[in-house]
Amino acid sequence: MHFLKLISRNTLRHKLRTGLTVLGLVVAILAFGLLRTVVDAWYAGAENASSTRLVTRSSISLVFQLPINYQERIRKIPGVSAISHANWFGGVYITEKNFFPQFAVDGKTYFDLYPEYLIPPAEMKAFRTDRKGCVIGRKLADTYGFKVGDTIPLRGTIYPGAWSFTVRAIYDGAEAGTDTSQLFFHWDYLNETLKKTITRRSNHVGVYIIQISDADRAAEISTEIDALFRNSLAETLTETEKAFQLGFVAMTEAIVVAIRVVSFVVIFIILAVMANTMAMTARERIREYATLKALGFGPRFLSGLIYGESMAIALAGAVIGILLTFPVAHAFSKQVGTLFPVFGVSLETVFMQVGAAISVGFIAAVIPALRASQVSIVEGLRHIG
């Protein structure tokens, strides 16, 4: 008890210095947690991918589309239990800054492959019977205030023209990590329009989504699908949904690596600040340590005092920083809108924040504790702080 009391008094002896050090730790832990959450948001799509879904696209690039008649040929492959298709639309809602994903999908089959999208049956029926209807996610609805019955106008970029869709359903996510920032509308509506305006682009889709009955056969079925269209005018590349999502992340890998590096640089900087604080503290108390040694307290006791003070400051900063991470992340998520479909502080990030704080507290105390434990009584008493 006396040991803990001594640590607390030592910690609060220089309140301003301790307060500024804790403030620095709060900022560092908060920044570290926020940057880690941004990295997690990048990988959210891959983390929530299903192991029983495959994605087939053009082997050259996603820019190139696949003929619609591929669908029936893929459906006949053993192990394929269901198939649907989707097409990136790329429209603009009012201005370019209002970005959210939009897909033209097969309204009859697409949502059967995604049980994580929870849609009320009545709204699903209304969507399927309205060729200009659309389904939007809850986050998208909340961000722009859309509700069932509203009209969403889009300016086509890949598919030029003015488009408008009526909100017929709003889906929620079955899990916290489900992307609810998307808009889906009928591919048939898009295709009918293309037949009238750009005939050569009609009857093509961006990707096929394939449900398989056995996840262990994913590689085998993928190979079989690609072999079916080898040496054709539109060869395919089939991969698991997770690999498909990671392919997108790989395109921006340099950004992700930079964010990761910055997150650890922040911790390194606060480690230097913390080490300087503890070094100053230990230097000022050399005479006190010598006196304690003269009274019979050993090196282990002195080291414990320094380690205890360092850990107390580090954990105080960590607790405040972690508590602030949640509201700051929420505010950040609201500011970026639908740019990050899933943005939440994970338990792993909290553990990493705690681990970083403990590491900083421990490492910062190593040299001061070593110096205090080795100081001789005579030299210590002669020391002028």
Side-chain angles (χ1 to χ4, degrees), residues 84-125:
S84 188
H85 56 77
N87 207 88
W88 176 260
F89 183 68
V92 175
Y93 175 64
I94 304 177
T95 64
E96 279 75 3
K97 71 175 185 179
N98 300 319
F99 170 81
F100 54 86
Q102 306 134 22
F103 296 94
V105 302
D106 181 1
K108 298 175 184 175
T109 59
Y110 186 80
F111 293 100
D112 294 337
L113 272 63
Y114 290 88
E116 60 265 41
Y117 298 160
L118 305 178
I119 306 175
E123 293 185 5
M124 175 56 79
K125 184 179 179 181

Side-chain angles (χ1 to χ4, degrees), residues 292-333:
L292 287 170
K293 272 191 170 182
L295 292 173
F297 293 100
R300 185 175 296 180
F301 181 84
L302 299 179
S303 297
L305 286 178
I306 295 174
Y307 276 113
E309 184 176 347
S310 182
M311 294 303 294
I313 294 173
L315 291 178
V319 170
I320 300 172
I322 291 170
L323 291 177
L324 287 175
T325 302
F326 291 91
V328 171
H330 180 69
F332 181 82
S333 176

Side-chain angles (χ1 to χ4, degrees), residues 226-237:
D226 294 338
L228 192 63
F229 305 108
R230 189 166 299 145
N231 298 323
S232 68
L233 291 176
E235 294 190 348
T236 61
L237 173 63

Side-chain angles (χ1 to χ4, degrees), residues 11 68 161 204 213 245 255 287 301 324:
T11 304
I68 187 65
H204 284 75
S213 52
Q245 296 287 354
I255 299 174
R287 296 187 67 181
F301 181 84
L324 287 175

